[in-house]
Amino acid sequence: MFSDTDTVKLIEDDPGSPCVEAIDQTKLPSELTLVRLYETGAIVDAIKRLVVRGAPAIGVCAALGLYVVARRGYTEGTYRDHMLQDAGSESEVLLGFVRKQGLIISESRPTAVNLSWAIDRMLGVAARLYEDGCSASRILDGMHDEAVTIYHEDIDVCRRIGEYGVGLIRDGFGILTHCNAGRLATVRYGTATAPMYLAAERGMDIRVYCDETRPLLQGARLTAYELSAAGIDTTLLCDNMSASLMKTGTVDAIFVGCDRVAANGDVANKIGTSALAVLAGRYGVPFYVCAPTSTIDLCTPTGEDIVIEQRDGSEVTGLWYEKPMAPEGIGVYNPAFDVTDHSDITAIITENGVIKPGDLNKLNYEDI
Ligand code: MRU
């Protein structure tokens, strides 16, 4: 059942040969199917094809995935394959192996910073244990614990974002959201949806409007699916209908997620987010970005420095249609994300509180 299924988790029936299990989001809403990922190629493919997607879920999948690859490589002895015999101690060879696999996984998608954040945490633990003179087996145990910690932190962080976010919602609110920053984009709760789930848990009467989110329809296929499955009053609209909806005064607040927050408070999120933020300003609707601190990237000065993933044009011209819906050979512009200017954002909701986008530097750096 969907409500009992984590978006992504570690399976350790045989501790020497673990795997990552994930909901295949390309099959929703018609089929709830689980896939099992055993090696680097499968993890990279799942992230690239959006089987697992959403910044926090990608981070958790990468952390669990790197542990799975390391443990299986050690059990099967394949971690030595890329090294010459006698290339070093067992732990040194293992460290070289996990660094190489970590780099491959972190290059699967460019925009969500959670991916490199999670891999850096995993590699940091492996390197520290190696430097402390630990055995390969101890390094693997440390990577296991770090991956499981990242998984549990995600649940806790989303719940805390929900606690701060629900304080901005009043009974009777109409809330608009874009793409899927829901439980399918995290382990549970979601980021932008966490305040909605908590509002519903507290018996508040809310209505949620979901942009369908062209071209991959994460709003229609995923957000509308998960919110309606949770019994929340959910209405779907095409992306080009949000101005008309806001004009009627039906939208009291907008909550979205994000893939990377730059140091100046600019935010990269699903394509279409920045248009929504501009419209929100025009119609006087508060625009909230929900961001775990793992999504805040103080090393990226402004939104202009964020690498935006460009995807295949066939997602616009052909996907979902029985016949091509554009002339053959037409040029297509298909960026997966856009950057919302910090001046268009009312506030950023993190697990540590609600802050103005310009005040990111006031956050405790140890929190990030
Ligand atoms: O391309 P996707 O589906 O991975 O894009 C996802 C989004 O843009 C989400 O809003 C973002 O990752 C935040 S998820 C909590």
Side-chain angles (χ1 to χ4, degrees), residues 2-3 5-8 22-29 31-34 50-61 154 158 179-194 197 217-229:
F2 176 62
S3 59
T5 313
D6 281 353
T7 303
V8 57
I23 295 178
D24 183 346
Q25 301 192 33
T26 64
K27 300 269 189 329
L28 289 171
E31 277 174 48
L32 179 60
T33 310
L34 298 174
L50 277 55
V51 169
V52 179
R53 45 138 310 276
I58 293 173
V60 174
C61 181
D154 183 75
C158 288
C179 190
N180 175 266
R183 49 169 295 199
L184 285 161
T186 64
V187 179
R188 289 177 215 161
Y189 297 112
T191 57
T193 56
Y197 285 123
L217 307 186
Q218 290 94 331
R221 295 187 301 107
L222 308 176
T223 310
Y225 171 78
E226 61 164 85
L227 292 178
S228 56

Side-chain angles (χ1 to χ4, degrees), residues 50 52-58 109 112 178-182 185-186 190-192 216 218 222 256-259 268-271 273 290 292 309 311 336-337:
L50 277 55
V52 179
R53 45 138 310 276
I58 293 173
R109 290 186 81 187
H178 189 68
C179 190
N180 175 266
T186 64
T191 57
L216 294 180
Q218 290 94 331
L222 308 176
V256 296
C258 65
D259 285 78
N269 190 47
K270 180 53 54 189
I271 189 74
T273 303
C290 298
E309 177 184 3
R311 294 187 64 91
F337 302 96

